[in-house]
Amino acid sequence: GQLKLFLCFLLVCKSMAFGHHRTSFAFHIFCSLILAARLRIVTCLAIMSPPSTIGDIPLKQLANHANSYAAAHGLQVEKRIQIDDSSSNSSSGEKKEASTYQCAPISLLPNAFPATEFERAKSLASNFNELVDRISRDGDFLQSTLGGPGGVTDADPYTRKLLQLYNEIYCGKGVNGEEWGKFAREADCLGVQRSDYMLNSKKDEQDKIYYELKQVELNTIASSFAGLSVNVAGLHRHLTQRFKNEVADFIETNERAVMG
């Protein structure tokens, strides 16, 4: 767990950390598919409803509509495939790569998410931002933690290259001993982070189930899906309105299970 956390901290070197506190842009993108709809916080968690309720939903029909909506609204990701190269005269059956697009990995329907836990996650964002920012500025700590004989860089070429770039940019010196790393350290930087959360079920003293926030991981480089959030909310609204009667039981059951 600590190793993975340290790797997350190092990856900020590529996406850059937050700049000086006086000019920092506190952008925090946590769980790119966490959305708000009709005063109910929803997220792409696993469906938490009895199988009988799910069985009443026309999943195939919803999936078809979801794919159509995704194609029309840019809610897609690239998929690389191998195809026969018909332009080649060779009979060796050579293949070439081509791009296709498919619906991004999302939940088909919204799931309830307690607003209190949503606000709690937001309140933690600035602390995580500052933590990553400070560690990304501590070259000695990164080097002693990840580098050196027997360190992570010995086994992971990707991390080794990142640490090499970090040292060159932030700690580098010219042939005449001139330190150019100070310019990078003094520059304003922007960090875009994504913190992933899920709900953990627990029981109180009265044996009543409630849910609390649990962090899965903190990403400082894989934040690209943030731009899809609005489209996922639109997709959920589209499906829950178009199939209102078919999904009503699921929505109600899911909300009772999570919200109590």
Side-chain angles (χ1 to χ4, degrees):
Q2 290 182 342
L3 174 58
K4 186 173 183 180
L5 185 60
F6 286 138
L7 288 176
C8 286
F9 289 146
L10 180 59
L11 292 179
V12 79
C13 303
K14 184 172 182 180
S15 60
M16 299 302 179
F18 289 95
H20 297 301
H21 295 297
R22 66 179 183 274
T23 57
S24 66
F25 297 91
F27 289 173
H28 178 78
I29 301 171
F30 80 98
C31 190
S32 61
L33 297 182
I34 287 184
L35 314 160
R38 294 186 180 180
L39 302 181
R40 185 168 61 238
I41 305 303
V42 299
T43 185
C44 57
L45 299 179
I47 293 176
M48 292 177 288
S49 287
S52 57
T53 303
I54 299 175
D56 296 334
I57 300 176
L59 293 178
K60 186 175 181 180
Q61 194 173 2
L62 261 69
N64 288 336
H65 278 265
N67 280 321
S68 297
Y69 185 96
H73 294 81
L75 185 55
Q76 294 183 312
V77 292
E78 183 184 24
K79 180 181 180 181
R80 304 289 291 179
I81 61 172
Q82 297 284 332
I83 62 173
D84 292 328
D85 188 0
S86 58
S87 63
S88 175
N89 295 325
S90 173
S91 58
S92 60
E94 293 182 357
K95 294 182 179 294
K96 64 178 183 179
E97 276 197 343
S99 292
T100 62
Y101 293 87
Q102 62 185 28
C103 182
I106 59 172
S107 62
L108 193 57
L109 292 170
N111 287 262
F113 197 101
T116 53
E117 296 304 299
F118 180 82
E119 293 299 327
R120 183 184 174 207
K122 289 200 299 183
S123 70
L124 294 171
S126 58
N127 294 325
F128 281 121
N129 291 343
E130 185 174 2
L131 176 64
V132 173
D133 178 48
R134 289 189 178 185
I135 291 181
S136 70
R137 296 173 184 275
D138 193 339
D140 292 337
F141 173 79
L142 289 173
Q143 183 63 48
S144 63
T145 304
L146 299 171
V152 177
T153 53
D154 277 356
D156 184 7
Y158 182 69
T159 302
R160 181 167 61 250
K161 185 62 177 180
L162 285 180
L163 190 58
Q164 177 187 337
L165 291 173
Y166 181 94
N167 286 328
E168 290 177 359
I169 295 172
Y170 291 98
C171 310
K173 293 184 178 181
V175 292
N176 297 323
E178 179 185 1
E179 183 187 11
W180 67 68
K182 64 179 181 180
F183 301 108
R185 292 195 299 271
E186 293 173 357
D188 292 333
C189 300
L190 171 66
V192 180
Q193 303 173 49
R194 192 196 81 222
S195 191
D196 296 345
Y197 297 94
M198 294 189 74
L199 292 177
N200 180 56
S201 63
K202 298 187 71 175
K203 289 185 178 181
D204 59 18
E205 296 178 353
Q206 286 76 36
D207 254 5
K208 183 179 179 180
I209 295 178
Y210 69 96
Y211 291 87
E212 63 178 5
L213 199 70
K214 291 293 184 181
Q215 187 183 49
V216 178
E217 62 179 348
L218 175 65
N219 287 277
T220 59
I221 191 171
S223 301
S224 59
F225 275 15
L228 301 182
S229 299
V230 174
N231 285 339
V232 176
L235 169 64
H236 286 164
R237 282 193 293 268
H238 170 73
L239 293 178
T240 53
Q241 291 171 5
R242 191 177 185 91
F243 298 93
K244 183 177 181 179
N245 295 332
E246 290 86 347
V247 303
D249 287 344
F250 165 80
I251 297 296
E252 293 175 5
T253 303
N254 173 255
E255 188 167 359
R256 285 198 305 271
V258 177
M259 311 300 290

